[in-house]
Amino acid sequence: MKTVAILGGGPAGSSAAERLARGGLRTILLDEKLAWEKPCGGGITYKAYSQYPYLMENDKPKRLVSDTYLAAIPSGSVKMSLTHPLVIYSRIVLNRMLLERAECAGVQIEQERVLGIDRQAAGWKIRTRHGSIDADYCVVATGARNPLRSVGTQYTAQDTMYALGYYVPSQRQHIDIQFLSGLEGYIWVFPRADHLSVGICGKGEAAHALRVRLEAYMEQKGISREGATFYGHMLPALEDNGWRNNRLAGEGWMAVGDAGGLVDPITGEGLYYAVRSGDLASQALLSDLAPQRREELYRQQINHDFGFDLLYGALLAKRVFSDIRFFGAVPNRVVEFMRRSPRFCEVMQDLFAGTQPYLELKNRLLKNLDGTVHEILMSFLFRKLVLGQTQA
Ligand SMILES: Cc1cc2nc3c(=O)[nH]c(=O)nc-3n(C[C@H](O)[C@H](O)[C@H](O)COP(=O)(O)OP(=O)(O)OC[C@H]3O[C@@H](n4cnc5c(N)ncnc54)[C@H](O)[C@@H]3O)c2cc1C
């Protein structure tokens, strides 16, 4: 293979490009905007920066935040100190840093909009506004709004959610996460180096309705929209069928990051999966395998690394947000259990750090059940008998 074209220069594309260039392949990256403030919370979990330390160890402006308040109606809120802080970037800073790393590794970076790609006898012709580029292989990293219909994930309406918010010129020291009744999603307030990213994501609800919910929350919490900038974007949230039929790779191409639907369907975390899939795609491309086997290897690596876990997450998502059959809406129970059980708090801390796989969550909760129930009962009895309280 001589030349690899990376279509899109967000975290997925620039990560793949950097590794391919370091592996000795001629790599061209095309992005219509290059570094830009892509609509995002910008939160990077411990799972991401422990595997890719440069996401944390750099001199770029960012915030490391540990104090987190989780709130649900009517249970109120609970404070959690994360064992590993969330690292929060402005996306223009993060994207620029990753593009600079790619450039230092030898990637040729071009500001170009890709208009289309055509398969040729050997390789691809990539059409841009200024002409065309020939490449032997394409890595598709054009994000959730991938305009290239023949490659990457084919989303149905059920496989996406809308996310929108405001960059607010204000400061605070902690993260807020607010669950709302009847919403398969949540509101976040993330402090960044010099502003806040305040946003909402939700499945099955129109952008306008989400905006109304968010603005009501901001008003209630005294977060002013004066001087704030609005943002909105699509977020992949594949359902189980979406995962099973996902188009991750085909002849001469692999899709990474959002263009491959690689986002946690419960939390909306996508930055880790963008960087990780860029890494796995480059490993497959740099392997000695025959071309078709490389695509197979990439699919297998994605599945084993995190794909099966996200598929299970897709099955869990509905229950997390709306199952009221057993314990009532899950976010309310989470808040109540966290107040009463240190063991349950540890599980939540690990979920926030990204170190608790969904596939093993049930077993861990069951294993801890005796201790957790004991802690909850003791806390309840203590409040009721000693403090004379009946409400949480
Ligand atoms: C509101 C919101 C909040 C989020 N918050 C978080 C969070 O806090 N933490 C987290 O982990 N994830 C978060 N995510 C998800 C995260 O933003 C994405 O998963 C991540 O950006 C995916 O990276 P990517 O490189 O795959 O795609 P993108 O970052 O979307 O990059 C795609 C790139 O392709 C380029 N491109 C597209 N089409 C073309 C074309 N035709 N020609 C040339 N270039 C093109 C674009 O300019 C862009 O630079 C959030 C998402 C949203 C919408």
Short mmCIF file of all heavy atoms in Angstrom, two decimals, residues 7-14 30-34 36 38-45 86 91 95 112-115 141-148 162-165 188 190 197 199-201 231-236 256-259 262-263 267-272 274, ligand 1:
data_model
loop_
_atom_site.label_atom_id
_atom_site.label_comp_id
_atom_site.label_asym_id
_atom_site.label_seq_id
_atom_site.Cartn_x
_atom_site.Cartn_y
_atom_site.Cartn_z
N LEU A 7 -10.11 10.83 5.56
CA LEU A 7 -11.16 11.79 5.21
C LEU A 7 -11.77 12.30 6.51
O LEU A 7 -12.56 11.62 7.15
CB LEU A 7 -12.22 11.11 4.33
CG LEU A 7 -11.65 10.23 3.20
CD1 LEU A 7 -12.79 9.57 2.42
CD2 LEU A 7 -10.76 11.05 2.28
N GLY A 8 -11.36 13.49 6.95
CA GLY A 8 -11.84 14.06 8.21
C GLY A 8 -10.70 14.13 9.21
O GLY A 8 -9.96 13.14 9.39
N GLY A 9 -10.56 15.28 9.86
CA GLY A 9 -9.43 15.48 10.77
C GLY A 9 -9.84 15.80 12.18
O GLY A 9 -9.20 16.58 12.87
N GLY A 10 -10.93 15.15 12.67
CA GLY A 10 -11.28 15.23 14.09
C GLY A 10 -10.39 14.25 14.85
O GLY A 10 -9.40 13.74 14.31
N PRO A 11 -10.75 13.97 16.12
CA PRO A 11 -9.91 13.07 16.93
C PRO A 11 -9.69 11.70 16.27
O PRO A 11 -8.60 11.14 16.36
CB PRO A 11 -10.70 12.93 18.23
CG PRO A 11 -11.51 14.18 18.30
CD PRO A 11 -11.85 14.55 16.90
N ALA A 12 -10.71 11.15 15.60
CA ALA A 12 -10.56 9.82 14.99
C ALA A 12 -9.59 9.87 13.82
O ALA A 12 -8.65 9.07 13.73
CB ALA A 12 -11.93 9.31 14.54
N GLY A 13 -9.80 10.84 12.93
CA GLY A 13 -8.96 10.92 11.74
C GLY A 13 -7.52 11.27 12.08
O GLY A 13 -6.58 10.64 11.56
N SER A 14 -7.33 12.26 12.96
CA SER A 14 -5.94 12.66 13.25
C SER A 14 -5.22 11.57 14.01
O SER A 14 -4.01 11.37 13.81
CB SER A 14 -5.88 14.01 13.97
OG SER A 14 -6.80 14.07 15.00
N LEU A 30 -7.49 15.03 4.89
CA LEU A 30 -8.29 16.11 4.31
C LEU A 30 -9.41 16.49 5.29
O LEU A 30 -10.16 15.62 5.73
CB LEU A 30 -8.93 15.66 3.00
CG LEU A 30 -7.99 15.04 1.95
CD1 LEU A 30 -8.80 14.42 0.82
CD2 LEU A 30 -7.05 16.09 1.41
N ASP A 31 -9.48 17.75 5.64
CA ASP A 31 -10.60 18.21 6.50
C ASP A 31 -11.04 19.58 6.00
O ASP A 31 -10.20 20.44 5.72
CB ASP A 31 -10.17 18.29 7.96
CG ASP A 31 -11.37 18.47 8.88
OD1 ASP A 31 -12.04 19.53 8.81
OD2 ASP A 31 -11.67 17.55 9.68
N GLU A 32 -12.36 19.78 5.96
CA GLU A 32 -12.83 21.06 5.41
C GLU A 32 -12.57 22.22 6.35
O GLU A 32 -12.48 23.37 5.93
CB GLU A 32 -14.31 20.96 5.06
CG GLU A 32 -15.21 20.63 6.22
CD GLU A 32 -16.66 20.48 5.80
OE1 GLU A 32 -17.08 21.18 4.86
OE2 GLU A 32 -17.39 19.67 6.42
N LYS A 33 -12.46 21.94 7.66
CA LYS A 33 -12.29 23.05 8.62
C LYS A 33 -10.98 22.98 9.37
O LYS A 33 -10.58 23.96 9.99
CB LYS A 33 -13.42 23.02 9.65
CG LYS A 33 -14.80 23.16 9.07
CD LYS A 33 -15.82 23.19 10.18
CE LYS A 33 -17.22 23.07 9.65
NZ LYS A 33 -18.10 22.29 10.50
N LEU A 34 -10.36 21.83 9.45
CA LEU A 34 -9.19 21.58 10.32
C LEU A 34 -9.60 21.86 11.78
O LEU A 34 -10.70 21.48 12.16
CB LEU A 34 -7.98 22.37 9.85
CG LEU A 34 -7.47 21.88 8.47
CD1 LEU A 34 -6.26 22.67 8.01
CD2 LEU A 34 -7.14 20.39 8.48
N TRP A 36 -11.37 23.13 14.80
CA TRP A 36 -12.56 23.97 14.98
C TRP A 36 -13.27 23.58 16.28
O TRP A 36 -13.00 22.53 16.85
CB TRP A 36 -13.51 23.88 13.78
CG TRP A 36 -14.13 22.53 13.55
CD1 TRP A 36 -13.46 21.38 13.22
CD2 TRP A 36 -15.51 22.16 13.62
NE1 TRP A 36 -14.34 20.34 13.07
CE2 TRP A 36 -15.61 20.79 13.30
CE3 TRP A 36 -16.69 22.87 13.89
CZ2 TRP A 36 -16.84 20.10 13.27
CZ3 TRP A 36 -17.91 22.19 13.86
CH2 TRP A 36 -17.96 20.82 13.54
N LYS A 38 -15.79 22.04 17.50
CA LYS A 38 -16.86 21.07 17.19
C LYS A 38 -17.81 20.98 18.39
O LYS A 38 -17.35 20.85 19.53
CB LYS A 38 -16.20 19.71 16.91
CG LYS A 38 -17.13 18.71 16.29
CD LYS A 38 -17.43 17.58 17.24
CE LYS A 38 -18.70 16.89 16.80
NZ LYS A 38 -19.20 15.96 17.81
N PRO A 39 -19.12 21.07 18.17
CA PRO A 39 -20.05 21.01 19.30
C PRO A 39 -19.80 19.78 20.17
O PRO A 39 -19.85 18.65 19.69
CB PRO A 39 -21.42 20.91 18.61
CG PRO A 39 -21.23 21.59 17.31
CD PRO A 39 -19.82 21.26 16.90
N CYS A 40 -19.53 20.00 21.45
CA CYS A 40 -19.10 18.89 22.31
C CYS A 40 -19.02 19.36 23.76
O CYS A 40 -18.88 20.55 24.02
CB CYS A 40 -17.71 18.43 21.85
SG CYS A 40 -17.16 16.85 22.53
N GLY A 41 -19.10 18.39 24.70
CA GLY A 41 -18.80 18.70 26.09
C GLY A 41 -17.29 18.86 26.25
O GLY A 41 -16.80 19.69 26.99
N GLY A 42 -16.56 18.00 25.54
CA GLY A 42 -15.09 18.04 25.60
C GLY A 42 -14.51 17.23 26.75
O GLY A 42 -13.32 17.34 27.04
N GLY A 43 -15.33 16.38 27.40
CA GLY A 43 -14.87 15.60 28.56
C GLY A 43 -14.15 14.32 28.15
O GLY A 43 -14.65 13.55 27.34
N ILE A 44 -12.96 14.12 28.72
CA ILE A 44 -12.17 12.93 28.42
C ILE A 44 -12.00 12.11 29.69
O ILE A 44 -11.55 12.63 30.72
CB ILE A 44 -10.80 13.33 27.84
CG1 ILE A 44 -11.04 13.97 26.47
CG2 ILE A 44 -9.85 12.15 27.73
CD1 ILE A 44 -9.82 14.16 25.64
N THR A 45 -12.37 10.84 29.62
CA THR A 45 -12.36 9.99 30.82
C THR A 45 -10.97 9.42 31.11
O THR A 45 -10.10 9.39 30.24
CB THR A 45 -13.32 8.79 30.63
OG1 THR A 45 -12.91 8.08 29.45
CG2 THR A 45 -14.76 9.23 30.51
N LEU A 86 -12.20 14.08 35.43
CA LEU A 86 -12.51 14.20 34.01
C LEU A 86 -11.65 15.34 33.47
O LEU A 86 -11.54 16.38 34.11
CB LEU A 86 -14.00 14.54 33.86
CG LEU A 86 -14.63 14.34 32.49
CD1 LEU A 86 -14.75 12.85 32.17
CD2 LEU A 86 -16.02 14.96 32.42
N ARG A 91 -12.89 22.08 22.26
CA ARG A 91 -12.58 21.19 21.15
C ARG A 91 -11.58 21.77 20.16
O ARG A 91 -10.83 21.03 19.53
CB ARG A 91 -13.87 20.75 20.44
CG ARG A 91 -14.59 19.63 21.16
CD ARG A 91 -13.77 18.34 21.20
NE ARG A 91 -13.44 17.85 19.90
CZ ARG A 91 -14.19 17.02 19.19
NH1 ARG A 91 -15.33 16.58 19.69
NH2 ARG A 91 -13.80 16.62 17.99
N ASN A 95 -8.59 19.42 19.10
CA ASN A 95 -8.41 19.06 17.69
C ASN A 95 -7.07 19.57 17.16
O ASN A 95 -6.38 18.86 16.43
CB ASN A 95 -9.55 19.64 16.84
CG ASN A 95 -10.83 18.83 16.98
OD1 ASN A 95 -11.05 18.19 18.00
ND2 ASN A 95 -11.68 18.86 15.97
N GLU A 112 -9.47 20.78 2.88
CA GLU A 112 -10.24 20.45 1.68
C GLU A 112 -11.56 19.82 2.08
O GLU A 112 -11.59 18.99 2.99
CB GLU A 112 -9.50 19.41 0.83
CG GLU A 112 -8.35 19.92 0.00
CD GLU A 112 -8.82 20.59 -1.30
OE1 GLU A 112 -10.02 20.89 -1.43
OE2 GLU A 112 -7.95 20.83 -2.15
N ARG A 113 -12.62 20.17 1.38
CA ARG A 113 -13.89 19.46 1.58
C ARG A 113 -13.93 18.30 0.59
O ARG A 113 -13.72 18.48 -0.61
CB ARG A 113 -15.06 20.40 1.33
CG ARG A 113 -16.41 19.71 1.46
CD ARG A 113 -17.56 20.70 1.41
NE ARG A 113 -18.83 20.01 1.36
CZ ARG A 113 -19.39 19.39 2.39
NH1 ARG A 113 -18.79 19.38 3.56
NH2 ARG A 113 -20.54 18.78 2.27
N VAL A 114 -14.18 17.08 1.11
CA VAL A 114 -14.30 15.93 0.22
C VAL A 114 -15.73 15.92 -0.34
O VAL A 114 -16.70 15.91 0.41
CB VAL A 114 -14.01 14.61 1.00
CG1 VAL A 114 -14.23 13.40 0.09
CG2 VAL A 114 -12.61 14.63 1.56
N LEU A 115 -15.83 15.93 -1.67
CA LEU A 115 -17.17 15.97 -2.30
C LEU A 115 -17.67 14.57 -2.59
O LEU A 115 -18.88 14.32 -2.62
CB LEU A 115 -17.10 16.77 -3.60
CG LEU A 115 -16.66 18.24 -3.43
CD1 LEU A 115 -16.55 18.93 -4.78
CD2 LEU A 115 -17.62 18.99 -2.53
N ALA A 141 -13.40 9.31 8.34
CA ALA A 141 -13.43 9.91 9.69
C ALA A 141 -14.21 11.21 9.65
O ALA A 141 -13.84 12.19 10.30
CB ALA A 141 -12.00 10.13 10.17
N THR A 142 -15.29 11.21 8.87
CA THR A 142 -16.03 12.46 8.62
C THR A 142 -17.10 12.75 9.67
O THR A 142 -17.90 13.66 9.49
CB THR A 142 -16.68 12.38 7.22
OG1 THR A 142 -17.15 11.04 7.03
CG2 THR A 142 -15.70 12.71 6.12
N GLY A 143 -17.12 11.98 10.77
CA GLY A 143 -18.00 12.31 11.88
C GLY A 143 -19.43 11.81 11.69
O GLY A 143 -19.75 11.07 10.76
N ALA A 144 -20.30 12.26 12.62
CA ALA A 144 -21.68 11.76 12.65
C ALA A 144 -22.48 12.20 11.43
O ALA A 144 -23.45 11.56 11.06
CB ALA A 144 -22.36 12.26 13.92
N ARG A 145 -22.07 13.32 10.82
CA ARG A 145 -22.80 13.79 9.63
C ARG A 145 -22.05 13.39 8.37
O ARG A 145 -21.97 14.17 7.42
CB ARG A 145 -22.97 15.30 9.69
CG ARG A 145 -23.97 15.72 10.74
CD ARG A 145 -24.24 17.21 10.64
NE ARG A 145 -25.26 17.62 11.58
CZ ARG A 145 -25.22 18.76 12.26
NH1 ARG A 145 -24.20 19.58 12.11
NH2 ARG A 145 -26.19 19.07 13.09
N ASN A 146 -21.49 12.18 8.36
CA ASN A 146 -20.73 11.70 7.22
C ASN A 146 -21.53 11.86 5.92
O ASN A 146 -22.59 11.27 5.76
CB ASN A 146 -20.41 10.21 7.45
CG ASN A 146 -19.81 9.56 6.22
OD1 ASN A 146 -19.15 10.22 5.42
ND2 ASN A 146 -20.06 8.27 6.07
N PRO A 147 -21.03 12.68 4.99
CA PRO A 147 -21.79 12.91 3.76
C PRO A 147 -21.53 11.84 2.69
O PRO A 147 -22.17 11.87 1.64
CB PRO A 147 -21.24 14.27 3.28
CG PRO A 147 -19.83 14.31 3.82
CD PRO A 147 -19.79 13.48 5.05
N LEU A 148 -20.61 10.92 2.94
CA LEU A 148 -20.24 9.92 1.93
C LEU A 148 -21.12 8.68 2.12
O LEU A 148 -20.90 7.88 3.01
CB LEU A 148 -18.75 9.57 2.07
CG LEU A 148 -17.81 10.79 2.14
CD1 LEU A 148 -16.41 10.38 2.56
CD2 LEU A 148 -17.81 11.52 0.80
N TYR A 162 -30.03 13.88 19.26
CA TYR A 162 -29.57 15.22 19.06
C TYR A 162 -28.91 15.72 20.34
O TYR A 162 -29.30 15.33 21.44
CB TYR A 162 -30.74 16.14 18.64
CG TYR A 162 -30.23 17.28 17.79
CD1 TYR A 162 -29.80 17.04 16.49
CD2 TYR A 162 -30.13 18.56 18.30
CE1 TYR A 162 -29.28 18.07 15.73
CE2 TYR A 162 -29.61 19.59 17.54
CZ TYR A 162 -29.19 19.34 16.26
OH TYR A 162 -28.65 20.35 15.51
N ALA A 163 -27.88 16.52 20.20
CA ALA A 163 -27.22 17.11 21.37
C ALA A 163 -27.00 18.58 21.07
O ALA A 163 -26.57 18.94 19.97
CB ALA A 163 -25.90 16.41 21.65
N LEU A 164 -27.33 19.43 22.02
CA LEU A 164 -27.19 20.88 21.79
C LEU A 164 -26.88 21.57 23.11
O LEU A 164 -27.04 20.98 24.18
CB LEU A 164 -28.47 21.45 21.17
CG LEU A 164 -29.79 21.19 21.89
CD1 LEU A 164 -30.04 22.22 22.97
CD2 LEU A 164 -30.93 21.20 20.89
N GLY A 165 -26.43 22.80 23.00
CA GLY A 165 -26.12 23.50 24.24
C GLY A 165 -25.57 24.89 24.00
O GLY A 165 -25.70 25.45 22.90
N TRP A 188 -25.77 18.36 30.98
CA TRP A 188 -24.45 18.45 31.64
C TRP A 188 -24.01 19.90 31.73
O TRP A 188 -24.37 20.71 30.88
CB TRP A 188 -23.40 17.63 30.88
CG TRP A 188 -23.04 18.21 29.54
CD1 TRP A 188 -22.09 19.17 29.28
CD2 TRP A 188 -23.63 17.89 28.27
NE1 TRP A 188 -22.07 19.45 27.93
CE2 TRP A 188 -22.99 18.68 27.29
CE3 TRP A 188 -24.63 17.00 27.86
CZ2 TRP A 188 -23.33 18.63 25.93
CZ3 TRP A 188 -24.96 16.94 26.52
CH2 TRP A 188 -24.32 17.75 25.58
N PHE A 190 -20.23 21.35 32.09
CA PHE A 190 -18.80 21.03 32.17
C PHE A 190 -17.99 22.32 32.22
O PHE A 190 -18.04 23.13 31.29
CB PHE A 190 -18.34 20.25 30.92
CG PHE A 190 -18.70 18.78 30.91
CD1 PHE A 190 -19.45 18.20 31.91
CD2 PHE A 190 -18.24 17.97 29.87
CE1 PHE A 190 -19.77 16.84 31.88
CE2 PHE A 190 -18.56 16.61 29.83
CZ PHE A 190 -19.31 16.06 30.84
N SER A 197 -19.32 24.50 29.16
CA SER A 197 -20.11 23.88 28.10
C SER A 197 -21.34 23.31 28.80
O SER A 197 -21.24 22.39 29.61
CB SER A 197 -19.32 22.77 27.40
OG SER A 197 -20.18 22.08 26.50
N GLY A 199 -24.98 21.61 28.17
CA GLY A 199 -25.69 20.99 27.05
C GLY A 199 -26.68 19.93 27.47
O GLY A 199 -26.78 19.55 28.65
N ILE A 200 -27.42 19.44 26.48
CA ILE A 200 -28.41 18.40 26.71
C ILE A 200 -28.35 17.42 25.55
O ILE A 200 -28.16 17.83 24.39
CB ILE A 200 -29.83 19.01 26.86
CG1 ILE A 200 -30.87 17.93 27.20
CG2 ILE A 200 -30.27 19.75 25.59
CD1 ILE A 200 -32.23 18.51 27.64
N CYS A 201 -28.48 16.14 25.84
CA CYS A 201 -28.63 15.15 24.76
C CYS A 201 -29.85 14.31 25.09
O CYS A 201 -30.14 14.09 26.27
CB CYS A 201 -27.38 14.30 24.59
SG CYS A 201 -26.92 13.37 26.05
N TYR A 231 -24.81 25.88 20.34
CA TYR A 231 -24.26 24.84 19.45
C TYR A 231 -25.20 23.64 19.39
O TYR A 231 -25.99 23.41 20.30
CB TYR A 231 -22.86 24.40 19.90
CG TYR A 231 -22.78 23.77 21.28
CD1 TYR A 231 -23.09 22.42 21.47
CD2 TYR A 231 -22.37 24.50 22.39
CE1 TYR A 231 -22.98 21.82 22.73
CE2 TYR A 231 -22.28 23.92 23.64
CZ TYR A 231 -22.59 22.58 23.81
OH TYR A 231 -22.50 22.01 25.05
N GLY A 232 -25.11 22.89 18.33
CA GLY A 232 -25.94 21.68 18.21
C GLY A 232 -25.33 20.73 17.19
O GLY A 232 -24.66 21.17 16.25
N HIS A 233 -25.52 19.45 17.38
CA HIS A 233 -24.93 18.46 16.47
C HIS A 233 -25.64 17.12 16.69
O HIS A 233 -26.31 16.93 17.69
CB HIS A 233 -23.44 18.31 16.76
CG HIS A 233 -22.62 17.84 15.59
ND1 HIS A 233 -22.29 18.66 14.55
CD2 HIS A 233 -22.07 16.65 15.30
CE1 HIS A 233 -21.55 17.99 13.68
NE2 HIS A 233 -21.42 16.75 14.12
N MET A 234 -25.39 16.21 15.79
CA MET A 234 -25.95 14.87 15.93
C MET A 234 -24.98 13.99 16.71
O MET A 234 -23.78 14.17 16.61
CB MET A 234 -26.11 14.30 14.53
CG MET A 234 -27.16 13.27 14.39
SD MET A 234 -27.29 12.91 12.64
CE MET A 234 -26.21 11.51 12.56
N LEU A 235 -25.53 13.06 17.45
CA LEU A 235 -24.70 12.15 18.23
C LEU A 235 -25.12 10.72 17.89
O LEU A 235 -26.30 10.38 18.04
CB LEU A 235 -24.94 12.45 19.71
CG LEU A 235 -24.03 11.88 20.77
CD1 LEU A 235 -22.59 12.27 20.54
CD2 LEU A 235 -24.48 12.38 22.14
N PRO A 236 -24.20 9.88 17.43
CA PRO A 236 -24.58 8.48 17.18
C PRO A 236 -25.01 7.82 18.49
O PRO A 236 -24.39 8.06 19.52
CB PRO A 236 -23.29 7.83 16.66
CG PRO A 236 -22.42 8.96 16.22
CD PRO A 236 -22.79 10.12 17.09
N VAL A 256 -13.89 5.15 11.15
CA VAL A 256 -13.45 5.32 12.54
C VAL A 256 -14.29 6.42 13.22
O VAL A 256 -14.89 7.26 12.54
CB VAL A 256 -11.95 5.69 12.60
CG1 VAL A 256 -11.08 4.53 12.15
CG2 VAL A 256 -11.63 6.93 11.75
N GLY A 257 -14.34 6.38 14.56
CA GLY A 257 -15.04 7.41 15.33
C GLY A 257 -16.53 7.46 15.01
O GLY A 257 -17.17 6.43 14.75
N ASP A 258 -17.09 8.66 15.01
CA ASP A 258 -18.53 8.83 14.80
C ASP A 258 -18.98 8.30 13.44
O ASP A 258 -20.12 7.84 13.29
CB ASP A 258 -18.91 10.32 14.88
CG ASP A 258 -19.01 10.82 16.32
OD1 ASP A 258 -18.52 10.12 17.23
OD2 ASP A 258 -19.56 11.92 16.52
N ALA A 259 -18.12 8.36 12.43
CA ALA A 259 -18.51 7.86 11.10
C ALA A 259 -18.74 6.35 11.13
O ALA A 259 -19.41 5.80 10.26
CB ALA A 259 -17.44 8.21 10.06
N LEU A 262 -19.30 4.86 16.57
CA LEU A 262 -18.62 4.35 17.77
C LEU A 262 -18.73 5.33 18.95
O LEU A 262 -17.79 6.05 19.29
CB LEU A 262 -17.16 4.04 17.43
CG LEU A 262 -17.01 3.05 16.25
CD1 LEU A 262 -15.55 2.86 15.87
CD2 LEU A 262 -17.65 1.70 16.59
N VAL A 263 -19.90 5.35 19.54
CA VAL A 263 -20.18 6.25 20.68
C VAL A 263 -20.95 5.44 21.73
O VAL A 263 -21.78 4.60 21.39
CB VAL A 263 -21.02 7.46 20.22
CG1 VAL A 263 -21.50 8.29 21.41
CG2 VAL A 263 -20.21 8.34 19.27
N THR A 267 -23.90 7.20 27.71
CA THR A 267 -23.30 8.46 28.16
C THR A 267 -23.04 9.45 27.03
O THR A 267 -22.83 10.63 27.27
CB THR A 267 -21.94 8.19 28.85
OG1 THR A 267 -21.05 7.62 27.86
CG2 THR A 267 -22.08 7.23 30.01
N GLY A 268 -22.97 8.95 25.79
CA GLY A 268 -22.61 9.83 24.67
C GLY A 268 -21.11 10.04 24.56
O GLY A 268 -20.65 10.84 23.75
N GLU A 269 -20.31 9.30 25.34
CA GLU A 269 -18.85 9.43 25.24
C GLU A 269 -18.41 8.94 23.85
O GLU A 269 -18.72 7.82 23.45
CB GLU A 269 -18.15 8.60 26.32
CG GLU A 269 -16.63 8.67 26.21
CD GLU A 269 -15.92 7.78 27.25
OE1 GLU A 269 -16.57 6.97 27.92
OE2 GLU A 269 -14.69 7.94 27.36
N GLY A 270 -17.69 9.82 23.13
CA GLY A 270 -17.25 9.43 21.80
C GLY A 270 -15.76 9.68 21.58
O GLY A 270 -15.15 9.09 20.69
N LEU A 271 -15.17 10.56 22.42
CA LEU A 271 -13.77 10.94 22.18
C LEU A 271 -12.84 9.74 22.36
O LEU A 271 -11.95 9.51 21.55
CB LEU A 271 -13.37 12.09 23.10
CG LEU A 271 -14.06 13.42 22.74
CD1 LEU A 271 -13.86 14.47 23.83
CD2 LEU A 271 -13.52 13.94 21.41
N TYR A 272 -13.07 8.95 23.42
CA TYR A 272 -12.22 7.77 23.61
C TYR A 272 -12.34 6.83 22.41
O TYR A 272 -11.33 6.35 21.87
CB TYR A 272 -12.61 7.03 24.90
CG TYR A 272 -11.97 5.66 24.96
CD1 TYR A 272 -10.60 5.53 25.20
CD2 TYR A 272 -12.71 4.50 24.73
CE1 TYR A 272 -10.00 4.28 25.21
CE2 TYR A 272 -12.12 3.25 24.74
CZ TYR A 272 -10.76 3.14 24.98
OH TYR A 272 -10.17 1.91 24.98
N ALA A 274 -13.23 7.44 19.42
CA ALA A 274 -12.64 8.03 18.21
C ALA A 274 -11.14 7.75 18.17
O ALA A 274 -10.60 7.23 17.18
CB ALA A 274 -12.91 9.54 18.17
C1 LIG B 1 -23.08 18.19 21.93
C2 LIG B 1 -22.13 17.02 22.05
C3 LIG B 1 -21.43 16.83 23.23
C4 LIG B 1 -20.49 15.79 23.32
N1 LIG B 1 -19.75 15.67 24.47
C5 LIG B 1 -18.80 14.70 24.55
C6 LIG B 1 -17.97 14.60 25.69
O1 LIG B 1 -18.03 15.41 26.62
N2 LIG B 1 -17.06 13.58 25.74
C7 LIG B 1 -16.93 12.69 24.73
O2 LIG B 1 -16.11 11.77 24.83
N3 LIG B 1 -17.70 12.80 23.60
C8 LIG B 1 -18.59 13.77 23.48
N4 LIG B 1 -19.33 13.90 22.33
C9 LIG B 1 -19.03 13.03 21.19
C10 LIG B 1 -17.78 13.54 20.45
O3 LIG B 1 -17.93 14.92 20.15
C11 LIG B 1 -17.58 12.76 19.14
O4 LIG B 1 -17.73 11.38 19.42
C12 LIG B 1 -16.20 13.01 18.54
O5 LIG B 1 -16.07 14.34 18.08
C13 LIG B 1 -15.97 12.06 17.35
O6 LIG B 1 -14.76 12.37 16.71
P1 LIG B 1 -14.63 12.11 15.12
O7 LIG B 1 -13.23 12.46 14.78
O8 LIG B 1 -15.13 10.77 14.80
O9 LIG B 1 -15.65 13.11 14.44
P2 LIG B 1 -15.66 14.71 14.44
O10 LIG B 1 -15.04 15.24 15.66
O11 LIG B 1 -17.05 15.09 14.12
O12 LIG B 1 -14.70 15.07 13.23
C14 LIG B 1 -15.10 14.89 11.90
C15 LIG B 1 -14.28 15.81 11.02
O13 LIG B 1 -14.58 15.53 9.66
C16 LIG B 1 -14.63 16.74 8.95
N5 LIG B 1 -15.48 16.53 7.77
C17 LIG B 1 -16.77 16.14 7.73
N6 LIG B 1 -17.19 16.04 6.45
C18 LIG B 1 -16.14 16.36 5.67
C19 LIG B 1 -15.94 16.43 4.27
N7 LIG B 1 -16.91 16.13 3.40
N8 LIG B 1 -14.73 16.80 3.81
C20 LIG B 1 -13.72 17.10 4.67
N9 LIG B 1 -13.86 17.06 6.00
C21 LIG B 1 -15.04 16.68 6.50
C22 LIG B 1 -15.18 17.76 9.93
O14 LIG B 1 -14.76 19.07 9.59
C23 LIG B 1 -14.59 17.28 11.26
O15 LIG B 1 -13.39 17.97 11.58
C24 LIG B 1 -20.28 14.92 22.22
C25 LIG B 1 -21.01 15.11 21.04
C26 LIG B 1 -21.92 16.15 20.94
C27 LIG B 1 -22.67 16.35 19.66
#
